[in-house]
Amino acid sequence: MADSQKKTFKAAFSVTFIILISKCFGFLRDMILASTYGTSVQSDAYYMAFGVVSIMAQIVTVCITATFVPVYSKVHLHEGPRASHIYTSNVLNLFFLISILMSGLAMLFAPQLLGFFAPGFDEATSAVARQLYMIMAPSIVFTTISAVFSALLNARERFVPPQLVGFPMSLCIIAAALLFSKQYGIYAIAVGMVAATFCQILIQLPFSHRIYRYHPYLNFRDPYLKQTFVLAVPAFISVTINEINQLVDRSLASGLPTGSLTALSYGYKLLTLVHGVIIVAITTILFQRLSQYAAEGNRRALKHTVRRCNEIITMIVLPIIAISLVMNKDIIRIVYQRGSFGEEAARMTRDAFVCYIVGVLPLGIRDVLNRAFYSLQNTRTPMIYGAIGVATNIVLNLILVKPLGLKGLAIATSAAFLVNMVLLFISLHRQAGRLGMPRTLSQVARIVLASALCGGVAYGVSMLMPGAHALLRLALATLAGGFVYIISILLMRVRESHEALRMLIRKYL
């Protein structure tokens, strides 16, 4: 095994482990919020306000996350460490100023933004949402600074520290819910969220100090900064459209029965668990590798890496989808159903979750393809196809929301992920050359068959235990289905399964 492969495997394992623990804390946080507020007026107001603040923050941070690593890699490779320090300082200082401006605009136009994205809220819910929004708006500045340090650490292959930022987000909100929610209600959660974003900066500073020296430098004419902005404009448009797309979903959900918006958010959070633990870990490391290959002009290595990552994601995600579909009732019951979160809230959340989870595979492959384009310093193509995906989602939302309600909104989102993925794949094939599609399809067909067996076995085991506790039933069904899946992919000679087995044998035996 080559040294680079060993390093990649070790980094991927470490990042996945940290993200998994972070997501466990995140779900503990969501369980506490669900138990405390259920699917209520307060929770609907919070998730709407949080969603609008998130889009304002993402508009700024995407310009960093989509462009910093490729440009930084180029500067560091060709001009050395001092030039890379100056470039980083220039980016940090400029985006700090931009985020302050963005935060001020967010507070100034709070009533208009919330009125636009939540037209279905009554006056009482709208008033709570506006107050929460004003409290959380300063987090835009902290999130932006944190994004610069995360991008810097990823560019220098320090992949673990940026994943630690999830812990303060969970711990601060849990503390706010347990200690202050009785006295201050949902407003305590908003304050906890702002405190969490500030703590995210503090966590990354010690790690960044080892590889970065700050310079009080701001030069709008710097050629690398100009290159960053040229690349950032399409990425900015892309994420703006995507975030607006999410808020359109919430806007339509605000016109459905009370609690629908919260149920939609909780269902989507389960999708982000799979996305965050598996796909983010892979694409975080992948982006640095692809940026390095692009800087070296090594297209062959770039295409090979993209193909293998897509196969690995498919191999891991498809059985998760299969088990989620057959065990959705137990999953929602275990994660959310307690306290104020009753049977009706669980039913709505299940509807959203089942329709969302089928979209996690095209979402993951879409992220890999986007990273490939970003590493080639092409942010225009993801923007164009992202816009087409969003348009698809909005059209399907409007078509499906009446007959299917909440499920229609989730189905539209998953369909949009699929459309976006297909368009990106075709475009990358044209730009970078042949991606080995016939070979990949052969592998995918075997994985699909093995996943179907996995889901069937999990369903059969669950049917044999109708009176068992939900956690025990889910655990045994997952273990049985997972065992059958692993044996199946090994017998069917799925390429990546044998690669993973050889890595584990060499590492531990």
Side-chain angles (χ1 to χ4, degrees):
M1 190 189 310
D3 290 341
S4 62
Q5 288 180 306
K6 290 182 180 179
K7 191 174 182 181
T8 299
F9 178 78
K10 183 178 179 181
F13 180 82
S14 300
V15 170
T16 300
F17 179 75
I18 294 296
I19 292 176
L20 180 60
I21 300 300
S22 176
K23 288 294 181 179
C24 289
F25 276 93
F27 270 95
L28 176 61
R29 173 197 68 208
D30 293 339
M31 288 162 62
I32 292 172
L33 291 180
S35 176
T36 305
Y37 299 103
T39 51
S40 62
V41 167
Q42 280 195 320
S43 63
D44 277 357
Y46 172 77
Y47 283 110
M48 175 53 72
F50 179 80
V52 179
V53 170
S54 293
I55 186 175
M56 302 297 286
Q58 285 294 318
I59 285 173
V60 183
T61 58
V62 72
C63 298
I64 301 164
T65 56
T67 63
F68 181 89
V69 174
V71 178
Y72 180 94
S73 298
K74 182 178 179 181
V75 175
H76 193 74
L77 178 65
H78 296 295
E79 298 195 25
R82 187 175 186 280
S84 65
H85 296 331
I86 292 175
Y87 167 71
T88 302
S89 299
N90 208 12
V91 170
L92 177 63
N93 294 330
L94 179 60
F95 279 97
F96 173 69
L97 296 177
I98 292 173
S99 65
I100 290 176
L101 176 63
M102 191 71 73
S103 180
L105 291 174
M107 299 175 75
L108 182 63
F109 294 102
Q112 291 82 359
L113 286 168
L114 288 167
F116 177 76
F117 287 115
F121 279 176
D122 57 33
E123 185 54 40
T125 309
S126 295
V128 175
R130 282 195 296 271
Q131 292 170 335
L132 292 169
Y133 179 82
M134 295 294 284
I135 293 171
M136 291 189 285
S139 67
I140 296 170
V141 178
F142 303 141
T143 302
T144 300
I145 297 171
S146 177
V148 174
F149 286 119
S150 292
L152 170 65
L153 289 163
N154 285 329
R156 296 297 299 273
E157 300 189 51
R158 271 70 168 180
F159 298 113
V160 171
Q163 306 310 321
L164 299 176
V165 299
F167 289 98
M169 181 60 71
S170 298
L171 295 174
C172 288
I173 291 179
I174 289 171
L178 295 179
L179 300 176
F180 303 109
S181 62
K182 287 186 178 180
Q183 184 176 359
Y184 298 105
I186 197 70
Y187 301 103
I189 309 303
V191 174
M193 180 264 187
V194 177
T197 55
F198 179 72
C199 290
Q200 289 176 340
I201 301 172
L202 298 182
I203 282 181
Q204 296 185 89
L205 279 177
F207 300 99
S208 302
H209 179 70
R210 300 173 185 174
I211 58 173
Y212 165 62
R213 184 181 297 276
Y214 175 77
H215 292 264
Y217 179 80
L218 183 61
N219 181 6
F220 296 102
R221 296 182 179 181
D222 182 87
Y224 291 115
L225 190 64
K226 289 181 180 180
Q227 184 179 4
T228 299
F229 267 89
V230 168
L231 296 172
V233 169
F236 165 83
I237 296 171
S238 178
V239 79
T240 302
I241 293 171
N242 187 61
E243 290 297 323
I244 289 173
N245 175 55
Q246 291 295 316
L247 287 173
V248 168
D249 287 358
R250 296 188 179 103
S251 175
L252 292 171
S254 72
L256 296 173
T258 299
S260 295
L261 193 153
T262 303
L264 198 72
S265 297
Y266 283 144
Y268 195 78
K269 282 177 181 293
L270 288 169
L271 176 146
T272 62
L273 172 65
V274 180
H275 179 266
V277 172
I278 298 168
I279 297 165
V280 169
I282 293 172
T283 56
T284 296
I285 299 166
L286 170 73
F287 193 26
Q288 193 279 335
R289 292 278 187 270
L290 293 179
S291 297
Q292 181 180 338
Y293 292 144
E296 296 169 353
N298 191 346
R299 289 290 183 93
R300 183 178 179 180
L302 186 146
K303 291 187 293 182
H304 175 72
T305 303
V306 168
R307 185 179 69 250
R308 290 198 61 186
C309 282
N310 285 335
E311 291 177 9
I312 291 170
I313 287 173
T314 303
M315 185 181 71
I316 298 173
V317 168
L318 269 185
I320 294 175
I321 294 174
I323 291 175
S324 297
L325 291 176
V326 300
M327 303 298 297
N328 64 86
K329 289 185 179 180
D330 286 337
I331 292 171
I332 300 302
R333 186 176 291 118
I334 292 165
V335 176
Y336 294 125
Q337 197 170 344
R338 59 187 56 83
S340 298
F341 200 96
E343 185 58 43
E344 179 60 18
R347 182 195 63 78
M348 289 193 295
T349 305
R350 282 199 307 270
D351 288 344
F353 168 61
V354 168
C355 298
Y356 273 137
I357 197 64
V358 295
V360 72
L361 180 59
L363 172 63
I365 295 176
R366 183 205 72 174
D367 286 355
V368 171
L369 298 175
N370 275 337
R371 296 291 191 179
F373 280 108
Y374 292 156
S375 69
L376 293 168
Q377 300 189 17
N378 177 355
T379 53
R380 184 172 175 270
T381 298
M383 175 197 72
I384 294 171
Y385 293 138
I388 294 173
V390 167
T392 302
N393 188 28
I394 292 173
V395 170
L396 290 176
N397 275 340
L398 297 174
I399 293 172
L400 299 176
V401 69
K402 271 196 172 182
L404 299 178
L406 193 65
K407 289 186 285 188
L409 299 178
I411 290 171
T413 299
S414 295
F417 291 152
L418 179 61
V419 169
N420 198 355
M421 178 202 77
V422 171
L423 292 174
L424 284 168
F425 188 89
I426 293 171
S427 182
L428 185 62
H429 179 81
R430 290 174 178 170
Q431 179 174 334
R434 298 177 62 180
L435 298 174
M437 190 63 179
R439 191 178 180 189
T440 296
L441 286 176
S442 172
Q443 299 294 311
V444 170
R446 300 175 199 183
I447 295 170
V448 169
L449 178 57
S451 298
L453 292 173
C454 168
V457 170
Y459 180 76
V461 170
S462 68
M463 289 296 99
L464 295 174
M465 308 171 61
H469 189 277
L471 182 58
L472 177 62
R473 186 167 53 240
L474 177 63
L476 292 179
T478 301
L479 286 173
F483 177 77
V484 169
Y485 177 74
I486 291 171
I487 297 300
S488 299
I489 60 174
L490 288 172
L491 290 176
M492 287 189 279
R493 296 187 174 277
V494 173
R495 180 171 57 241
E496 298 303 335
S497 67
H498 286 269
E499 294 267 349
L501 182 62
R502 280 195 292 269
M503 285 183 183
L504 291 172
I505 290 172
R506 291 180 182 181
K507 185 174 179 65
Y508 295 110
L509 298 180

mmCIF file with all atom_site columns, all heavy atoms in Angstrom, residues 478-490:
data_model
loop_
_atom_site.group_PDB
_atom_site.id
_atom_site.type_symbol
_atom_site.label_atom_id
_atom_site.label_alt_id
_atom_site.label_comp_id
_atom_site.label_asym_id
_atom_site.label_entity_id
_atom_site.label_seq_id
_atom_site.pdbx_PDB_ins_code
_atom_site.Cartn_x
_atom_site.Cartn_y
_atom_site.Cartn_z
_atom_site.occupancy
_atom_site.B_iso_or_equiv
_atom_site.pdbx_formal_charge
_atom_site.auth_seq_id
_atom_site.auth_comp_id
_atom_site.auth_asym_id
_atom_site.auth_atom_id
_atom_site.pdbx_PDB_model_num
ATOM 1  N N   . THR A 1 478 ? -30.609 -4.449  11.946 1.00 0.00 ? 478 THR A N   1
ATOM 2  C CA  . THR A 1 478 ? -29.476 -3.820  11.263 1.00 0.00 ? 478 THR A CA  1
ATOM 3  C C   . THR A 1 478 ? -28.266 -4.746  11.227 1.00 0.00 ? 478 THR A C   1
ATOM 4  O O   . THR A 1 478 ? -27.575 -4.852  10.199 1.00 0.00 ? 478 THR A O   1
ATOM 5  C CB  . THR A 1 478 ? -29.104 -2.498  11.955 1.00 0.00 ? 478 THR A CB  1
ATOM 6  O OG1 . THR A 1 478 ? -30.236 -1.618  11.934 1.00 0.00 ? 478 THR A OG1 1
ATOM 7  C CG2 . THR A 1 478 ? -27.939 -1.826  11.260 1.00 0.00 ? 478 THR A CG2 1
ATOM 8  N N   . LEU A 1 479 ? -28.000 -5.412  12.330 1.00 0.00 ? 479 LEU A N   1
ATOM 9  C CA  . LEU A 1 479 ? -26.872 -6.349  12.366 1.00 0.00 ? 479 LEU A CA  1
ATOM 10 C C   . LEU A 1 479 ? -27.064 -7.499  11.377 1.00 0.00 ? 479 LEU A C   1
ATOM 11 O O   . LEU A 1 479 ? -26.137 -7.859  10.647 1.00 0.00 ? 479 LEU A O   1
ATOM 12 C CB  . LEU A 1 479 ? -26.699 -6.899  13.779 1.00 0.00 ? 479 LEU A CB  1
ATOM 13 C CG  . LEU A 1 479 ? -26.090 -5.939  14.810 1.00 0.00 ? 479 LEU A CG  1
ATOM 14 C CD1 . LEU A 1 479 ? -26.148 -6.556  16.200 1.00 0.00 ? 479 LEU A CD1 1
ATOM 15 C CD2 . LEU A 1 479 ? -24.653 -5.588  14.439 1.00 0.00 ? 479 LEU A CD2 1
ATOM 16 N N   . ALA A 1 480 ? -28.276 -8.056  11.355 1.00 0.00 ? 480 ALA A N   1
ATOM 17 C CA  . ALA A 1 480 ? -28.544 -9.165  10.431 1.00 0.00 ? 480 ALA A CA  1
ATOM 18 C C   . ALA A 1 480 ? -28.451 -8.711  8.981  1.00 0.00 ? 480 ALA A C   1
ATOM 19 O O   . ALA A 1 480 ? -27.807 -9.364  8.146  1.00 0.00 ? 480 ALA A O   1
ATOM 20 C CB  . ALA A 1 480 ? -29.926 -9.756  10.716 1.00 0.00 ? 480 ALA A CB  1
ATOM 21 N N   . GLY A 1 481 ? -29.094 -7.579  8.672  1.00 0.00 ? 481 GLY A N   1
ATOM 22 C CA  . GLY A 1 481 ? -29.043 -7.050  7.311  1.00 0.00 ? 481 GLY A CA  1
ATOM 23 C C   . GLY A 1 481 ? -27.634 -6.666  6.905  1.00 0.00 ? 481 GLY A C   1
ATOM 24 O O   . GLY A 1 481 ? -27.204 -6.933  5.782  1.00 0.00 ? 481 GLY A O   1
ATOM 25 N N   . GLY A 1 482 ? -26.887 -6.051  7.833  1.00 0.00 ? 482 GLY A N   1
ATOM 26 C CA  . GLY A 1 482 ? -25.514 -5.650  7.544  1.00 0.00 ? 482 GLY A CA  1
ATOM 27 C C   . GLY A 1 482 ? -24.608 -6.836  7.294  1.00 0.00 ? 482 GLY A C   1
ATOM 28 O O   . GLY A 1 482 ? -23.750 -6.792  6.403  1.00 0.00 ? 482 GLY A O   1
ATOM 29 N N   . PHE A 1 483 ? -24.786 -7.910  8.068  1.00 0.00 ? 483 PHE A N   1
ATOM 30 C CA  . PHE A 1 483 ? -23.976 -9.118  7.879  1.00 0.00 ? 483 PHE A CA  1
ATOM 31 C C   . PHE A 1 483 ? -24.220 -9.719  6.494  1.00 0.00 ? 483 PHE A C   1
ATOM 32 O O   . PHE A 1 483 ? -23.267 -10.066 5.774  1.00 0.00 ? 483 PHE A O   1
ATOM 33 C CB  . PHE A 1 483 ? -24.317 -10.147 8.970  1.00 0.00 ? 483 PHE A CB  1
ATOM 34 C CG  . PHE A 1 483 ? -23.582 -11.450 8.820  1.00 0.00 ? 483 PHE A CG  1
ATOM 35 C CD1 . PHE A 1 483 ? -22.253 -11.549 9.180  1.00 0.00 ? 483 PHE A CD1 1
ATOM 36 C CD2 . PHE A 1 483 ? -24.220 -12.570 8.298  1.00 0.00 ? 483 PHE A CD2 1
ATOM 37 C CE1 . PHE A 1 483 ? -21.564 -12.749 9.038  1.00 0.00 ? 483 PHE A CE1 1
ATOM 38 C CE2 . PHE A 1 483 ? -23.548 -13.772 8.147  1.00 0.00 ? 483 PHE A CE2 1
ATOM 39 C CZ  . PHE A 1 483 ? -22.216 -13.853 8.523  1.00 0.00 ? 483 PHE A CZ  1
ATOM 40 N N   . VAL A 1 484 ? -25.490 -9.835  6.119  1.00 0.00 ? 484 VAL A N   1
ATOM 41 C CA  . VAL A 1 484 ? -25.832 -10.373 4.793  1.00 0.00 ? 484 VAL A CA  1
ATOM 42 C C   . VAL A 1 484 ? -25.261 -9.480  3.696  1.00 0.00 ? 484 VAL A C   1
ATOM 43 O O   . VAL A 1 484 ? -24.757 -9.967  2.674  1.00 0.00 ? 484 VAL A O   1
ATOM 44 C CB  . VAL A 1 484 ? -27.362 -10.510 4.650  1.00 0.00 ? 484 VAL A CB  1
ATOM 45 C CG1 . VAL A 1 484 ? -27.749 -10.814 3.202  1.00 0.00 ? 484 VAL A CG1 1
ATOM 46 C CG2 . VAL A 1 484 ? -27.886 -11.604 5.568  1.00 0.00 ? 484 VAL A CG2 1
ATOM 47 N N   . TYR A 1 485 ? -25.302 -8.176  3.902  1.00 0.00 ? 485 TYR A N   1
ATOM 48 C CA  . TYR A 1 485 ? -24.783 -7.237  2.895  1.00 0.00 ? 485 TYR A CA  1
ATOM 49 C C   . TYR A 1 485 ? -23.276 -7.408  2.703  1.00 0.00 ? 485 TYR A C   1
ATOM 50 O O   . TYR A 1 485 ? -22.786 -7.474  1.568  1.00 0.00 ? 485 TYR A O   1
ATOM 51 C CB  . TYR A 1 485 ? -25.103 -5.801  3.310  1.00 0.00 ? 485 TYR A CB  1
ATOM 52 C CG  . TYR A 1 485 ? -24.541 -4.772  2.358  1.00 0.00 ? 485 TYR A CG  1
ATOM 53 C CD1 . TYR A 1 485 ? -25.122 -4.562  1.110  1.00 0.00 ? 485 TYR A CD1 1
ATOM 54 C CD2 . TYR A 1 485 ? -23.423 -4.015  2.707  1.00 0.00 ? 485 TYR A CD2 1
ATOM 55 C CE1 . TYR A 1 485 ? -24.599 -3.631  0.225  1.00 0.00 ? 485 TYR A CE1 1
ATOM 56 C CE2 . TYR A 1 485 ? -22.902 -3.077  1.831  1.00 0.00 ? 485 TYR A CE2 1
ATOM 57 C CZ  . TYR A 1 485 ? -23.490 -2.889  0.590  1.00 0.00 ? 485 TYR A CZ  1
ATOM 58 O OH  . TYR A 1 485 ? -22.969 -1.967  -0.281 1.00 0.00 ? 485 TYR A OH  1
ATOM 59 N N   . ILE A 1 486 ? -22.533 -7.478  3.796  1.00 0.00 ? 486 ILE A N   1
ATOM 60 C CA  . ILE A 1 486 ? -21.074 -7.613  3.689  1.00 0.00 ? 486 ILE A CA  1
ATOM 61 C C   . ILE A 1 486 ? -20.699 -8.907  2.984  1.00 0.00 ? 486 ILE A C   1
ATOM 62 O O   . ILE A 1 486 ? -19.828 -8.926  2.093  1.00 0.00 ? 486 ILE A O   1
ATOM 63 C CB  . ILE A 1 486 ? -20.441 -7.547  5.088  1.00 0.00 ? 486 ILE A CB  1
ATOM 64 C CG1 . ILE A 1 486 ? -20.592 -6.128  5.661  1.00 0.00 ? 486 ILE A CG1 1
ATOM 65 C CG2 . ILE A 1 486 ? -18.966 -7.929  5.035  1.00 0.00 ? 486 ILE A CG2 1
ATOM 66 C CD1 . ILE A 1 486 ? -20.201 -6.001  7.116  1.00 0.00 ? 486 ILE A CD1 1
ATOM 67 N N   . ILE A 1 487 ? -21.359 -10.001 3.367  1.00 0.00 ? 487 ILE A N   1
ATOM 68 C CA  . ILE A 1 487 ? -21.080 -11.279 2.707  1.00 0.00 ? 487 ILE A CA  1
ATOM 69 C C   . ILE A 1 487 ? -21.417 -11.203 1.216  1.00 0.00 ? 487 ILE A C   1
ATOM 70 O O   . ILE A 1 487 ? -20.673 -11.697 0.361  1.00 0.00 ? 487 ILE A O   1
ATOM 71 C CB  . ILE A 1 487 ? -21.882 -12.418 3.376  1.00 0.00 ? 487 ILE A CB  1
ATOM 72 C CG1 . ILE A 1 487 ? -21.448 -12.593 4.833  1.00 0.00 ? 487 ILE A CG1 1
ATOM 73 C CG2 . ILE A 1 487 ? -21.722 -13.726 2.602  1.00 0.00 ? 487 ILE A CG2 1
ATOM 74 C CD1 . ILE A 1 487 ? -19.993 -12.937 5.016  1.00 0.00 ? 487 ILE A CD1 1
ATOM 75 N N   . SER A 1 488 ? -22.532 -10.543 0.897  1.00 0.00 ? 488 SER A N   1
ATOM 76 C CA  . SER A 1 488 ? -22.982 -10.458 -0.495 1.00 0.00 ? 488 SER A CA  1
ATOM 77 C C   . SER A 1 488 ? -22.003 -9.686  -1.364 1.00 0.00 ? 488 SER A C   1
ATOM 78 O O   . SER A 1 488 ? -21.651 -10.133 -2.460 1.00 0.00 ? 488 SER A O   1
ATOM 79 C CB  . SER A 1 488 ? -24.364 -9.803  -0.560 1.00 0.00 ? 488 SER A CB  1
ATOM 80 O OG  . SER A 1 488 ? -25.325 -10.562 0.142  1.00 0.00 ? 488 SER A OG  1
ATOM 81 N N   . ILE A 1 489 ? -21.544 -8.528  -0.889 1.00 0.00 ? 489 ILE A N   1
ATOM 82 C CA  . ILE A 1 489 ? -20.644 -7.727  -1.735 1.00 0.00 ? 489 ILE A CA  1
ATOM 83 C C   . ILE A 1 489 ? -19.282 -8.393  -1.880 1.00 0.00 ? 489 ILE A C   1
ATOM 84 O O   . ILE A 1 489 ? -18.597 -8.228  -2.893 1.00 0.00 ? 489 ILE A O   1
ATOM 85 C CB  . ILE A 1 489 ? -20.490 -6.281  -1.224 1.00 0.00 ? 489 ILE A CB  1
ATOM 86 C CG1 . ILE A 1 489 ? -19.924 -6.249  0.198  1.00 0.00 ? 489 ILE A CG1 1
ATOM 87 C CG2 . ILE A 1 489 ? -21.813 -5.547  -1.312 1.00 0.00 ? 489 ILE A CG2 1
ATOM 88 C CD1 . ILE A 1 489 ? -19.626 -4.835  0.695  1.00 0.00 ? 489 ILE A CD1 1
ATOM 89 N N   . LEU A 1 490 ? -18.874 -9.160  -0.864 1.00 0.00 ? 490 LEU A N   1
ATOM 90 C CA  . LEU A 1 490 ? -17.617 -9.896  -0.990 1.00 0.00 ? 490 LEU A CA  1
ATOM 91 C C   . LEU A 1 490 ? -17.753 -11.040 -1.995 1.00 0.00 ? 490 LEU A C   1
ATOM 92 O O   . LEU A 1 490 ? -16.869 -11.253 -2.837 1.00 0.00 ? 490 LEU A O   1
ATOM 93 C CB  . LEU A 1 490 ? -17.186 -10.439 0.369  1.00 0.00 ? 490 LEU A CB  1
ATOM 94 C CG  . LEU A 1 490 ? -16.679 -9.398  1.383  1.00 0.00 ? 490 LEU A CG  1
ATOM 95 C CD1 . LEU A 1 490 ? -16.475 -10.036 2.745  1.00 0.00 ? 490 LEU A CD1 1
ATOM 96 C CD2 . LEU A 1 490 ? -15.387 -8.742  0.903  1.00 0.00 ? 490 LEU A CD2 1
#
